[in-house]
Amino acid sequence: MISVLIPVYNCAIVSLVNTLHQQLSAAKLPFEIIAWDDCSDSQFTAENSQIETLPFTSFEKSTVNRGRIQTRQLLSEKANYDWLLFLDADVIPKNSDFIQSYIEVINGNQDAIYGGFAYEEKSPQRDYTLRWTHGTAKEQVDAAIRNQKPYKIVISGNFLIKKEVFVALNSQIKGQNYGYDNYFGALLKEQGYKIKHINNEVYHLGIDTNAVYLKKTEHAVDTLLTLFKNKQITKSDNDLLKTFKLLKSFKLNYVIAFLFNRLKPQLTTNLLSSSPSITRLQFYKLGYMCSKDIQK
């Protein structure tokens, strides 16, 4: 029995919900689909409300913008079943057996199952290349590799989790900023929950512009640094945090911060171009973290 939960903000979900509903109906198991709109513009709510005509499907609406974390919490509390399948609104299943692939592994001893992300092979228009380049390099990873370090690539846009586990962990996350997937993965690791990764990807369709994604990247680093400074992350497989802690232990974070501030204009020019470099993006994140850390 599965509750499919979709937080929505300014995104059309009719095609996604129709696809899921067809697969769930074919699987012949009890299910529900709940989409929760986080105070989107009226044209999106009007279009998306069509999904309520489907059996076992509901469309909830917030009158204020609560953010993804609170919206997911509301969805989990509304859900009737013990397994929650969370999907971002801007995705679509890669395969026609998407639901069946989750069902086949649901009776194992794992607490959460991550299906993975995929990106269309064709490179997008020049203003959208940074998100696509990062996604294809760092998120589109085979399950065999993800399972080697299961808490490292934890993407909240496509995962199945026990309701009791999600409610317990998500309620510990306070904040509205971008970048809490790392914290969720760290909480899973710290508290000993078992994760399994499978090749059951969704295509990520809602790619941000280069400028928007670079700003979101900064927000994610801000979140990670705050969690570190507040000692909220004690165990993590995050490469950025591990490198930062190593540099800081030798006081080399000052050197990286200095280089970052000198090179930031050139780095930004590359990252906003049609051919952004992943290496430069990784250095940008590290340099930004070091720079923010030493600011008074």
Side-chain angles (χ1 to χ4, degrees):
M1 298 185 289
I2 297 177
S3 296
V4 180
L5 308 178
I6 309 171
V8 186
Y9 179 71
N10 282 353
C11 189
I13 61 167
V14 174
S15 177
L16 169 62
V17 172
N18 282 333
T19 298
L20 295 170
H21 197 277
Q22 291 172 5
Q23 292 192 23
L24 287 160
S25 299
K28 300 186 184 305
L29 83 165
F31 74 89
E32 64 181 349
I33 301 174
I34 308 173
W36 200 301
D37 184 88
D38 195 22
C39 200
S40 297
D41 296 339
S42 58
Q43 67 265 31
F44 289 103
T45 54
E47 178 182 352
N48 291 334
S49 62
Q50 300 174 40
I51 68 172
E52 291 191 294
T53 61
L54 296 170
F56 316 114
T57 304
S58 60
F59 185 59
E60 308 291 336
K61 306 179 190 70
S62 291
T63 56
V64 295
N65 185 267
R66 301 174 183 272
R68 284 162 37 114
I69 294 169
Q70 286 191 34
T71 300
R72 286 197 178 108
Q73 191 71 17
L74 291 170
L75 282 163
S76 67
E77 293 168 0
K78 182 80 173 178
N80 291 302
Y81 297 134
D82 293 334
W83 280 95
L84 312 179
L85 174 56
F86 279 96
L87 293 170
D88 280 352
D90 59 352
V91 304
I92 198 76
K94 182 178 178 180
N95 299 311
S96 60
D97 61 350
F98 175 75
I99 293 296
Q100 187 61 37
S101 294
Y102 271 129
I103 292 172
E104 289 174 358
V105 294
I106 205 171
N107 292 321
N109 64 349
Q110 59 277 335
D111 299 297
I113 305 161
Y114 284 82
F117 256 33
Y119 289 81
E120 295 177 330
E121 293 184 8
K122 184 179 178 181
S123 178
Q125 297 177 350
R126 72 172 312 279
D127 290 337
Y128 295 82
T129 49
L130 181 59
R131 183 69 182 91
W132 180 86
T133 300
H134 178 266
T136 55
K138 299 296 182 179
E139 296 175 349
Q140 189 172 273
V141 180
D142 188 85
I145 298 174
R146 285 184 274 135
N147 278 315
Q148 292 175 9
K149 292 185 176 180
Y151 303 96
K152 181 178 180 178
I153 304 177
V154 173
I155 300 175
S156 62
N158 173 27
F159 74 114
L160 184 70
I161 189 169
K162 291 179 179 177
K163 179 176 179 177
E164 60 182 312
V165 175
F166 179 82
V167 172
L169 296 186
N170 196 67
S171 61
Q172 299 179 47
I173 301 176
K174 310 299 181 184
Q176 297 279 0
N177 212 343
Y178 189 78
Y180 278 97
D181 283 3
N182 290 320
Y183 187 34
F184 196 84
L187 290 173
L188 284 166
K189 183 174 183 177
E190 288 170 10
Q191 300 183 31
Y193 290 113
K194 295 180 180 178
I195 292 180
K196 181 180 180 67
H197 292 271
I198 63 174
N199 288 321
N200 194 31
E201 302 90 348
V202 292
Y203 282 119
H204 184 204
L205 305 177
I207 299 179
D208 295 314
T209 65
N210 295 347
V212 168
Y213 184 63
L214 187 58
K215 184 57 66 175
K216 284 186 174 181
T217 297
E218 292 179 350
H219 290 328
V221 174
D222 287 334
T223 297
L224 189 61
L225 182 60
T226 298
L227 291 168
F228 168 73
K229 286 190 168 185
N230 293 339
K231 299 181 180 179
Q232 291 172 267
I233 292 183
T234 58
K235 294 182 180 179
S236 174
D237 288 333
N238 182 269
D239 288 338
L240 175 61
L241 185 57
K242 285 184 176 181
T243 304
F244 169 75
K245 289 165 66 176
L246 179 63
L247 291 170
K248 190 175 175 69
S249 67
F250 291 101
K251 299 189 183 300
L252 293 175
N253 53 321
Y254 291 93
V255 177
I256 298 300
F258 172 78
L259 291 173
F260 171 74
N261 290 325
R262 290 289 299 272
L263 297 173
K264 186 177 180 180
Q266 297 96 305
L267 292 169
T268 303
T269 297
N270 172 265
L271 296 177
L272 299 183
S273 72
S274 60
S275 300
S277 164
I278 284 297
T279 301
R280 286 184 172 90
L281 178 60
Q282 297 302 93
F283 179 77
Y284 188 100
K285 292 192 289 186
L286 181 61
Y288 179 83
M289 178 175 272
C290 291
S291 179
K292 293 285 287 190
D293 178 53
I294 65 176
Q295 289 179 7
K296 302 298 182 181

